[in-house]
Structures are given as C-alpha cells and as structure tokens.
Amino acid sequence: MYILQNALKNLVRNKGRNLMIGAIIFFIILTTVVSLIINNTSSAVIEDYKERFASEVYITPDMQKVMEEAQKNSSDGRVMVKKPEIPSEQLLQFASSEYLKESLATGSVAANTSEIEAIDQDDSNSSGAGTTSIVGGGGMMKGPGMNGNYKLMGDSWEEFNEGLRSLESGRLPEANGEAVISGELRDRNNINLGDAITFTANMSVEPPSDLNSDNVQEGDKVTVEGMEYTVSLSGMGTVRLQREVSYPLTVVGVYNDMTDEYANDNMPKSAGFNRRNEVLTTLDTLIDQRQANETGVNVNVTYYLKSPDMLEPFEAEVREKGLSELFNVNTDTASYEKVVKPVEGLKSISITFMVVVIILGSIILLLLASISIRERKYEIGVLRAMGMKKAKVALGLWFEILTITCFCLVIGLGVGTVAAQPVSDMLLQNQAEAASQADSGGNMMMGPGGMQLGGAQLGGAQTSAMPLSEMKISLDLVTISEIIAISILLASFAGLVSISKITKYEPIKILMERN
Amino acid sequence: MSVLTVKNVFYRYEGTKKNVLKGVNASFEPGKVHTIVGKSGSGKSTLLSLISGLDVCTDGAIMHNDQDLKKLDRDEYRAKGIGVVFQSFNLLTNATAIENIVLSMNINGSPEKDKKAYAYALLEKVGIDRETADRKILRLSGGEQQRVGIARAISHNPDIIIADEPTGNLDSTTEEAILDIFTSLAHQEGKCVIIVTHSKKVTTIADVIYGMSEGKLAQMKQK
C-alpha cells in the first residue's frame, strides 16, 4: 500500500517530468482512441454491408454464353436469342441448401378476369392474357405471364415490412386461394371482403422437338404429358404451346399502397403496370395451378448465404442440382465494393496512423522514460540502500507510469470520442470523393442489380449503390477494452524498460556515482 | 559479546587485481562507540559498505549475530538489522523530512501504528522540530539533514548504527550535537555505533578506535 502512496506522492513531487510523460501518453492514447473507434466502427459497417451485399446470391444469365449458345444453334445464319430461364421448381429446390441462412421465394403471374374492371384497364391485354414480346439479339421471342391487366403476386409481403403497403381492412391470406386487393380496386368494383373473383392466366410448355410451324397451325390443340395446349405462332414462326389456368380467389383483405401507381412517369399507363392492380396471394396458390414442366409463373427466389465465403460450395451444389452453365452464381460484390471502398480506405488510414503513432510514441516514451530514470537513479539508490527490494522499487515505478496512463486514458477517451466523429467525417469525405473520382474516371461498376427474367436477373447492369458518405461513430465496450489493453501495455513497456535498466545497478554504485 | 564480527575480510573491486581490504578482522559490541580512522583511500568506506550490506566481500566473512551476511537477505539486513548514516545524507531530496522517516519505517516494516507521530517524536529526539520536519530536505541545512539521516537510521530501532563521516560536512557546534546523539544511542540505548571518520573530535567519544592503513585494520584504543 505504501508503495502506491509513495508513487502517488512522487507524481506530485516531480510535476514537470510527469507532465511531459503524461503529454506523450495522452497524445498516443488520444490517437489510439480516435483510430480504434474509427477502425472498429468501420469494421462493423463493413461486416454489416458484407452481410447485406455479399450474402445475397444472384443467379444471373451469362449473356456472353447465351449469345454463343444461340450462334452455335443457328442453322440458317439467323441468331435466335432465347431467354434463359431457370425452372421455378429448380429455383425452389436450390433453396433447400445447408449453406443458406434463409431464402425468400416470391412469384407473379400476369392474369385477367372479366368479373371486375382493372385500374387503367387495357382491353388489348384481355384477349391474350400472359403473352408479350421481347426484342432479343436478332429475333423476337414471346414470354408467358408478362402481360395482363392484373398481376397475381405470391408471397410478396416485403413491402408491408417496409411500410410501403399496409392492411386497410381484413387480414392477409392464411390459406391458399385467399387474396388481398388494393383499396382502389375495391372501390372501383365495389368488392367486399369474402367476395370471390376468378382470374385466368396462361401457362406454357416447351414444344416437342418435332413440332414446328410446318406441321401445326395457329389454334391447333396439342397434348404434352397429358395436358392439352393451344398452338400460337410468332411472326418469326416460333411455335408456342399455351393453356389457360384459373385462379379462383377469395378476397380476405384490402391493402393501402403508399407508393405511386406506376414505378416511373415514363411508363405507359397500362393496367398491367399499375401497382393498384396487384392481387396478393400465396406463392403456393400460384404454383399449384401449373405443371412442373410449365413456365408462366414468374418465380423469384432470393438466397441469403450463412456467410459470404459459402458462395463457392453453394454454387457447386446448385450446379449439381442442375443449374445450367449459362448462369453465373455470384453476390453483389460490385455494390459492396462501391459502398464499402471509402470505409475500407478510412479503416486502413486509421490503422496505419495508429500503428505509426504507437511506434513513434513508444520510442519517444521510451527515451523520455530512460532519461527520467537516469535522473532518478539517486532516488532509487537511496531506496535500495534503505533495504527496499528491487521488485518493490519496480512496482513503485510501474504504479507511477500506470497512474499517469490511467489519468490520460480517462481524458483521452473523452476527448477522443468527441474528436472521432469530425475526424471520421473528414477522412470519409475524402475517401468518398476519391472513390467517386475513380468511378467517373471510367471504372464503371458492374453489378447484377438489373432486369429480372424468369426468376433470374440479367447481369451487367450498373450498380445503383452509393458510396457511404456518413458513418455514425460510437464507442463500444470492445473498443474501450482494446484501448485499456493498449494503454496498460504501453505503460508496462515504458516501465519495464526503465526498470530493467535501473535494477542492473547496485545501490552502492548508484550512491558512489552521486557522491 | 559482539553483534558484528569481521573475519579475515578481503575485498577487491570488480575488474581489478589489487585488494583494497587485506585480511581485516574486527569485533563490534553493543553499547559502545567504535570509530575507524585512517587516511583517504585506506579502505575505511569500503569496509563500511561491506558491513552495511551494500556490497559483498571477496573473501572472508562478516557475521551479524553469528550469521554470515553472504547467506542473509541483504535487503532485509539493511532494512531491519542496521541503520546507516551517510556522509552526504542520502535522503530523498524532493520529499519532506517526515516523509523520509515514514517511508523508511514502511520499508523496514515498522510495527508502529501511527508512524507519523512516531517519526515526529524521533525527529524531535534528534533536534528537529515539527515545522522543520514538514520542510522538504532541500530546504534544510546540512546539520538538519544529518539529524534527519540519524533519525532515519534509528527509525526501526536497529542493533547497529553505522555512520560514514557523519560530521564531515558540519560546523563544530552541530558536530558536537550530532556526536552527543551517537554517544547517547550507544551508552543509553545500548546500540552498537560504528563511525568512520577523519575527525579527531569524533574519536574523543569513541570507546574503541580502529586504525585503517593500506587495507589493514588494527585496534588502537579500547576503553
């Protein structure tokens, strides 16, 4: 106890020297606090974004391979680019993987009904529900389920979680065959809860290889795997087999939509694109009506990996389950890179700065401690001559440096916490500017956040993710523990070096030197 | 009955071949003032550093109560077995007189409950009043510092008090006062007092006088 008391008294007895040591320790601690707070917050942000971007799996068509495949299959020089699709059964099958944390499956079907009138009703849609044309590389192709006055949405509840939609009356579907409609659709058609509406949609099947425009005509009936389909022919002679399915749905709720009716002002005012015509039901309701070999229900499954590094085994698994080589399996690394790059830069700067300061600071502290101990050789000689053991002398010196460190730690933590936010803002702003300059300088960030087709997304769209320009700095327990550990190590280092130096001397030698 | 016996002690400094002490023999008894006199460089201070446990003899033995110092914990011996008064005082200069005494008592594990009160009493005994006791060492005169040194040396009530030129830096009045303290410690409190000195005046209070010359010690007077 007396050693601690004496150490505290010594701090006051040698104010000048201790203030100088304190100033150095304070500077090191302050820098460490700022750097560690920024570093740890950056790490948390990076981890968070990693989870958000690098865990969501995108299965996207490799357009290069699609084009090559189309060219290879062309016999008459005309290249027919056919939309690559992953069967919805397969998409759902992929979801049962041990590498996934979770998977969210949704679906949609373009549908029609003659029982009610849609918002912005387009009668041209009614005649052939569920057909559309997409211009491909050199040819036309028709896709099912892309048109219609209504869109039946399966398990599409995310917007309720996001607050974009809310339940106005009734409830959400709890069983297959139940649906919720928009308030506008209800008002236009005086629909009551419990009313039943039957929607129709078209399902398509791949035509048998021997079927072509030479041996069938528009409107012919063809049976494939026990189901009867109607033949339709595109302008380029492509045979399409379709059949109509019915969706009898009971209205159990009405939702209120907070968003605009159309996704953007440039969209044609057509019922098929109007969000108020979306009828929400369960995914099972939609897929129960179609055969396993049929397309028409646009199933989209979002997969979330347990960890970003599980992408490779997950890809191997889905390939084994039959995913075509025409598709790429990846995560949104482009968005991740773009958003997180400035934070990574900030983290790197803060760590480098901290390491440099700790090294330089330690050297200065070491020199200062050595000088200070040389000054105190006489005092130590006296204590040793009085019979104080080396260990106790050392403990006293360590207490002194530790007390100074603790004092600096308290002030350093306070000042550092206040200073960390503006320092972080300034550094992050510089990093964000550097990142955006690099971006506009020709480094186009390519990401998979593009158009969705048949449950997969087309790759190659420019990522819309914005670099992080603000970061809320906070001091957590881990950071405090790290700072305390570094401070104690620093104090012990300075103390030990001095102590090892002084304990080499015998008291008689110290006193003789002095005398 | 001696409390400290020096038996055929030789000493040479590290890295040298010449013996500074050449077969020194002496016996120090309680209740007596012993002085060691001799010219500068004769080996007096070296002998003192050996018997005060600050150094170890090259050959021979120094026995404290029949125990060889080489086998004892020298820190413990310095803290509890002896009290040393240095010529240059060797006090903690940025501490007060009272702090010096209390710290010494803490180091030697004094059982006194109120160490401060005991230290004030000790200082008063050697002629330092309360006000002076609360002053920093640097603000005290040489005589006052030496008194504090003596108080520190006796703060743990040791059997042996060793003093190296205790009056070397003092005027004659103060010298007399200091010598009175040593005499009193030996004759009234039964301490074994060993003083190394050049001063003839100091030898006048001695019960036993040893003469040191070229590393050899000889008893010159026994009262």
Side-chain angles (χ1 to χ4, degrees):
Chain A
M1 187 64 187
Y2 79 88
I3 295 172
L4 179 62
Q5 281 174 346
N6 192 49
L8 293 175
K9 279 180 184 170
N10 275 341
L11 291 178
V12 185
R13 286 173 193 151
N14 306 297
K15 285 189 207 83
R17 180 178 60 211
N18 291 327
L19 274 174
M20 202 148 69
I21 293 173
I24 298 287
I25 294 178
F26 174 73
F27 178 69
I28 298 172
I29 288 178
L30 179 65
T31 316
T32 309
V33 169
V34 173
S35 304
L36 270 183
I37 290 176
I38 292 175
N39 178 60
N40 288 354
T41 311
S42 306
S43 297
V45 168
I46 289 169
E47 275 306 307
D48 179 44
Y49 276 85
K50 216 176 201 175
E51 283 287 312
R52 227 185 288 176
F53 288 111
S55 294
E56 189 175 339
V57 180
Y58 293 87
I59 301 178
T60 57
D62 185 331
M63 294 315 286
Q64 182 76 25
K65 284 182 185 169
V66 171
M67 288 291 287
E68 284 170 8
E69 188 75 10
Q71 281 168 348
K72 209 165 35 179
N73 294 336
S74 169
S75 53
D76 53 2
R78 289 189 303 170
V79 178
M80 290 285 287
V81 178
K82 196 168 185 183
K83 179 188 72 176
E85 278 185 24
I86 304 168
S88 53
E89 284 299 314
Q90 212 172 45
L91 283 173
L92 294 169
Q93 205 188 348
F94 295 164
S96 58
S97 167
E98 60 170 319
Y99 303 113
L100 297 178
K101 184 170 62 185
E102 65 171 328
S103 58
L104 297 175
T106 58
S108 64
V109 175
N112 271 308
T113 180
S114 56
E115 294 173 19
I116 56 170
E117 193 181 336
I119 315 292
D120 294 334
Q121 173 108 12
D122 180 358
D123 289 333
S124 66
N125 279 334
S126 310
S127 56
T131 60
T132 189
S133 299
I134 297 171
V135 178
M140 294 280 285
M141 61 184 187
K142 283 196 169 185
M146 300 298 289
N147 214 344
N149 283 315
Y150 304 89
K151 197 186 268 184
L152 307 185
M153 308 289 287
D155 282 351
S156 186
W157 314 119
E158 201 173 339
E159 287 173 327
F160 284 87
N161 297 333
E162 290 169 356
L164 299 174
R165 278 177 175 160
S166 61
L167 202 61
E168 190 185 303
S169 62
R171 58 172 173 80
L172 292 178
E174 288 169 358
N176 292 346
E178 293 182 340
V180 289
I181 58 168
S182 69
E184 288 85 348
L185 200 59
R186 175 201 57 192
D187 295 344
R188 168 166 279 212
N189 297 285
N190 293 320
I191 300 167
N192 295 313
L193 295 183
D195 286 354
I197 309 165
T198 301
F199 293 89
T200 57
N202 284 335
M203 295 296 138
S204 298
V205 73
E206 190 73 17
S209 54
D210 57 345
L211 210 65
N212 56 52
S213 56
D214 298 333
N215 55 24
V216 287
Q217 287 184 345
E218 181 84 21
D220 282 358
K221 301 290 181 192
V222 173
T223 303
V224 178
E225 291 186 16
M227 299 299 292
E228 190 177 70
Y229 294 90
T230 307
V231 173
S232 65
L233 297 170
S234 75
M236 299 191 69
T238 309
V239 177
R240 192 167 189 83
L241 301 180
Q242 290 180 315
R243 72 178 180 94
E244 193 176 83
V245 294
S246 296
Y247 289 105
L249 302 175
T250 305
V251 177
V252 294
V254 175
Y255 67 82
N256 183 26
D257 196 323
M258 261 65 89
T259 62
D260 292 337
E261 288 185 27
Y262 292 94
N264 63 60
D265 293 339
N266 300 327
M267 286 187 93
K269 298 278 183 283
S270 173
F273 297 115
N274 193 316
R275 283 172 55 85
R276 306 300 184 263
N277 291 326
E278 288 180 356
V279 177
L280 313 182
T281 184
T282 61
L283 180 62
D284 286 344
T285 303
L286 300 187
I287 56 179
D288 279 354
Q289 294 296 324
R290 61 106 173 90
Q291 300 298 307
N293 60 338
E294 287 179 340
T295 56
V297 179
N298 202 351
V299 175
N300 183 44
V301 189
T302 312
Y303 309 103
Y304 296 95
L305 294 169
K306 283 177 184 165
S307 157
D309 51 20
M310 288 182 172
L311 180 65
E312 213 170 300
F314 177 71
E315 183 178 357
E317 188 183 318
V318 295
R319 296 273 181 226
E320 205 174 296
K321 284 177 177 173
L323 180 69
S324 162
E325 288 297 328
L326 293 177
F327 289 89
N328 289 330
V329 180
N330 46 38
T331 52
D332 191 359
T333 46
S335 291
Y336 168 75
E337 288 285 330
K338 189 172 180 180
V339 171
V340 168
K341 210 173 177 184
V343 185
E344 281 181 334
L346 179 70
K347 187 181 170 182
S348 162
I349 289 172
S350 66
I351 281 293
T352 311
F353 187 55
M354 185 181 80
V355 169
V356 169
V357 168
I358 286 182
I359 292 172
L360 285 179
S362 300
I363 294 168
I364 297 170
L365 192 64
L366 197 71
L367 290 172
L368 212 61
S370 297
I371 294 166
S372 152
I373 288 298
R374 280 177 74 86
E375 277 177 17
R376 297 181 69 179
K377 261 167 93 174
Y378 164 71
E379 177 190 333
I380 289 158
V382 170
L383 292 173
R384 295 281 292 121
M386 283 197 281
M388 191 186 251
K389 290 185 183 298
K390 281 180 184 179
K392 286 187 176 175
V393 176
L395 190 65
L397 292 172
W398 188 68
F399 271 152
E400 282 182 38
I401 197 101
L402 197 67
T403 309
I404 297 173
T405 306
C406 288
F407 191 66
C408 294
L409 186 66
V410 173
I411 304 173
L413 272 174
V415 178
T417 309
V418 174
Q421 187 67 60
V423 171
S424 161
D425 289 347
M426 190 184 71
L427 291 173
L428 192 60
Q429 198 181 352
N430 291 341
Q431 289 297 306
E433 276 170 18
S436 66
Q437 275 168 11
D439 193 22
S440 62
N443 298 330
M444 183 175 277
M445 299 280 189
M446 301 303 277
M451 188 164 90
Q452 286 198 339
L453 283 175
Q457 291 176 307
L458 287 178
Q462 188 171 4
T463 179
S464 58
M466 292 299 292
L468 202 69
S469 57
E470 264 184 22
M471 197 170 71
K472 185 73 189 151
I473 295 295
S474 62
L475 181 66
D476 56 16
L477 274 176
V478 175
T479 313
I480 293 175
S481 316
E482 286 173 350
I483 293 163
I484 291 173
I486 289 175
S487 305
I488 290 174
L489 277 175
L490 204 67
S492 302
F493 174 66
L496 280 174
V497 172
S498 315
I499 289 158
S500 68
K501 213 170 169 180
I502 202 69
T503 47
K504 282 178 190 164
Y505 295 101
E506 282 299 318
I508 182 73
K509 286 177 186 165
I510 299 173
L511 297 178
M512 276 170 74
E513 251 178 56
R514 165 83 174 194
N515 296 336
Chain B
M1 166 98 186
S2 72
V3 284
L4 194 74
T5 315
V6 179
K7 288 182 178 173
N8 199 27
V9 164
F10 286 82
Y11 183 84
R12 63 174 171 271
Y13 287 104
E14 241 178 62
T16 62
K17 286 179 183 174
K18 191 186 169 192
N19 281 320
V20 180
L21 298 181
K22 300 164 184 169
V24 174
N25 288 289
S27 180
F28 303 100
E29 291 170 21
K32 286 186 176 173
V33 176
H34 308 78
T35 59
I36 302 171
V37 293
K39 289 178 185 171
S40 295
S42 60
K44 306 186 297 291
S45 293
T46 303
L47 178 64
L48 204 68
S49 69
L50 295 180
I51 59 177
S52 47
L54 289 167
D55 212 342
V56 186
C57 58
T58 315
D59 208 355
I62 297 171
M63 311 294 285
H64 174 238
N65 290 330
D66 294 330
Q67 282 186 301
D68 193 342
L69 277 194
K70 281 180 185 167
K71 291 174 186 167
L72 287 177
D73 178 341
R74 288 194 292 133
D75 290 333
E76 194 82 359
Y77 170 70
R78 286 201 301 275
K80 293 176 181 172
I82 55 161
V84 184
V85 181
F86 298 93
Q87 181 182 6
S88 52
F89 321 130
N90 287 345
L91 296 164
L92 297 174
T93 49
N94 53 7
T96 61
I98 195 78
E99 282 170 344
N100 268 275
I101 310 298
V102 171
L103 180 62
S104 170
M105 290 170 77
N106 279 321
I107 291 170
N108 59 46
S110 162
E112 289 296 329
K113 282 188 179 169
D114 190 349
K115 292 189 175 68
K116 214 166 179 181
Y118 183 78
Y120 276 123
L122 264 183
L123 285 168
E124 210 168 318
K125 190 174 163 185
V126 295
I128 299 285
D129 58 32
R130 230 164 217 267
E131 195 198 328
T132 315
D134 288 331
R135 272 197 242 146
K136 286 201 172 179
I137 295 300
L138 282 175
R139 297 183 138 205
L140 302 183
S141 68
E144 285 168 334
Q145 287 189 39
Q146 196 58 291
R147 287 168 200 264
V148 175
I150 294 167
R152 184 182 65 183
I154 59 171
S155 65
H156 52 291
N157 197 25
D159 297 336
I160 305 163
I161 294 152
I162 301 164
D164 186 7
E165 300 281 8
T167 57
N169 298 325
L170 307 178
D171 59 72
S172 57
T173 317
T174 313
E175 184 180 20
E176 272 178 28
I178 296 292
L179 292 177
D180 283 348
I181 294 169
F182 283 121
T183 312
S184 160
L185 284 169
H187 297 160
Q188 288 174 25
E189 296 184 30
K191 308 287 181 196
C192 169
V193 177
I194 306 166
I195 304 172
V196 166
T197 185
H198 277 115
S199 163
K200 280 188 180 173
K201 197 167 189 178
V202 176
T203 58
T204 59
I205 64 156
D207 299 307
V208 182
I209 301 173
Y210 285 101
M212 178 74 100
S213 176
E214 293 180 352
K216 289 185 178 171
L217 192 70
Q219 189 172 317
M220 295 162 67
K221 174 196 165 188
Q222 170 91 47
K223 265 188 188 174

